[in-house]
């Protein structure tokens, strides 16, 4: 896996890596990027003064067998960022769904992220449909997750970091509809 990290550092595009396979990351739309920035900025403001930090897009999550790039993640492992390229202990992972990888993010990535003992919440946001699904770890002993569709609730509730955001803030500057 060290070879992958060294190789990817020399690439112009980002790649995910799992069990020896390399997957090129697709570029996101303006809608996708706007939601990521809306979330990252609000979460960052909320976490100010705590030992937790938010990272968006360019930082990898380390798994036992690979690396993934979440759109937004929060870690509470250390209070200040250094030169690290990989986070191993995300508490919260948010994926903003582009049409091309919806199924992958909903199924395969969630299975991989659940292998991380630190993960408490996994959020899927579809900006085109304005759909928001939040998966919360209900019982770590039996790996029981609960899903709440917050699309019609008018707010995104992130219990892992004690934050509630109005959905109009999450989707600020974003038009609904297919890309």
């Amino acid at each position: 896996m060290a070879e992958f990290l060294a190789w990817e550092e020399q690439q112009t595009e980002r790649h995910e890596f799992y069990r020896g396979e390399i997957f090129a990351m697709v570029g996101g739309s303006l809608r996708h990027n706007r939601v990521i920035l809306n979330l990252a900025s609000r979460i960052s403001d909320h976490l100010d003064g705590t030992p937790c930090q938010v990272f968006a897009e360019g930082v990898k999550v380390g798994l036992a067998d690979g690396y993934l790039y979440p759109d937004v993640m929060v870690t509470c492992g250390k209070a200040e960022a250094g030169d690290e390229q990989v986070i191993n202990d995300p508490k919260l992972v948010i994926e903003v769904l582009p049409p091309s990888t919806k199924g992958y993010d909903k199924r395969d990535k969630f299975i991989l992220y659940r292998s991380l003992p630190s993960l408490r919440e996994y959020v899927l946001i579809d900006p085109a449909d304005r759909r928001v699904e939040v998966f919360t770890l209900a019982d770590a002993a039996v790996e029981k997750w609960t899903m709440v569709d917050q699309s019609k609730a008018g707010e995104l509730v992130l219990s892992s970091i004690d934050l509630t955001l109005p959905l109009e803030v999450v989707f600020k500057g974003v038009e609904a509809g297919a890309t």
Side-chain angles (χ1 to χ4, degrees), residues 8 19 32 40 46 50 95-96 106 113 123 155 162 171:
E8 196 201 27
R19 292 189 174 166
H32 181 264
H46 174 72
T50 74
E95 292 289 357
V96 179
K106 285 185 168 196
Y113 284 128
V123 180
E155 56 189 21
D162 193 28
F171 296 115

Side-chain angles (χ1 to χ4, degrees), residues 92-154:
L92 166 66
V93 169
I94 301 173
E95 292 289 357
V96 179
L97 304 173
S100 61
T101 65
K102 275 186 193 181
Y104 173 64
D105 290 338
K106 285 185 168 196
R107 288 182 310 273
D108 302 334
K109 265 192 165 179
F110 186 34
I111 290 169
L112 296 174
Y113 284 128
R114 286 192 321 237
S115 70
L116 298 167
S118 61
L119 189 66
R120 295 294 173 262
E121 216 159 26
Y122 184 66
V123 180
L124 295 170
I125 298 178
D126 185 334
D129 295 337
R130 303 218 174 204
R131 187 164 197 81
V132 177
E133 297 175 336
V134 178
F135 297 83
T136 305
L137 183 61
D139 186 344
V142 293
E143 296 183 34
K144 179 182 176 184
W145 290 80
T146 59
M147 189 280 279
V148 176
D149 185 335
Q150 297 182 4
S151 306
K152 299 204 185 326

Side-chain angles (χ1 to χ4, degrees), residues 13-175:
E13 285 105 27
R14 298 179 300 143
H15 299 81
E16 292 186 331
F17 175 81
Y18 185 67
R19 292 189 174 166
E21 290 189 62
I22 295 172
F23 305 91
M25 299 292 295
V26 296
S29 67
L30 294 178
R31 177 186 297 136
H32 181 264
N33 191 261
R34 181 77 260 152
V35 171
I36 290 168
L37 292 174
N38 290 344
L39 289 164
S41 66
R42 294 311 195 290
I43 292 170
S44 180
D45 290 346
H46 174 72
L47 296 176
D48 195 26
T50 74
C52 301
Q53 295 185 79
V54 64
F55 295 95
E57 291 192 289
V59 178
K60 293 179 271 297
V61 167
L63 306 167
D65 294 324
Y67 301 98
L68 300 174
Y69 278 99
D71 289 320
V72 179
M73 74 173 139
V74 171
T75 180
C76 297
K78 61 186 265 186
E80 295 184 15
D83 290 335
E84 302 86 354
Q85 297 177 12
V86 179
I87 297 291
N88 295 306
D89 60 351
K91 183 176 193 174
L92 166 66
V93 169
I94 301 173
E95 292 289 357
V96 179
L97 304 173
S100 61
T101 65
K102 275 186 193 181
Y104 173 64
D105 290 338
K106 285 185 168 196
R107 288 182 310 273
D108 302 334
K109 265 192 165 179
F110 186 34
I111 290 169
L112 296 174
Y113 284 128
R114 286 192 321 237
S115 70
L116 298 167
S118 61
L119 189 66
R120 295 294 173 262
E121 216 159 26
Y122 184 66
V123 180
L124 295 170
I125 298 178
D126 185 334
D129 295 337
R130 303 218 174 204
R131 187 164 197 81
V132 177
E133 297 175 336
V134 178
F135 297 83
T136 305
L137 183 61
D139 186 344
V142 293
E143 296 183 34
K144 179 182 176 184
W145 290 80
T146 59
M147 189 280 279
V148 176
D149 185 335
Q150 297 182 4
S151 306
K152 299 204 185 326
E155 56 189 21
L156 169 61
V157 178
L158 301 172
S159 60
S160 64
I161 59 171
D162 193 28
L163 175 63
T164 300
L165 290 173
L167 289 184
E168 65 251 16
V169 169
V170 173
F171 296 115
K172 182 179 178 184
V174 175
E175 65 181 47

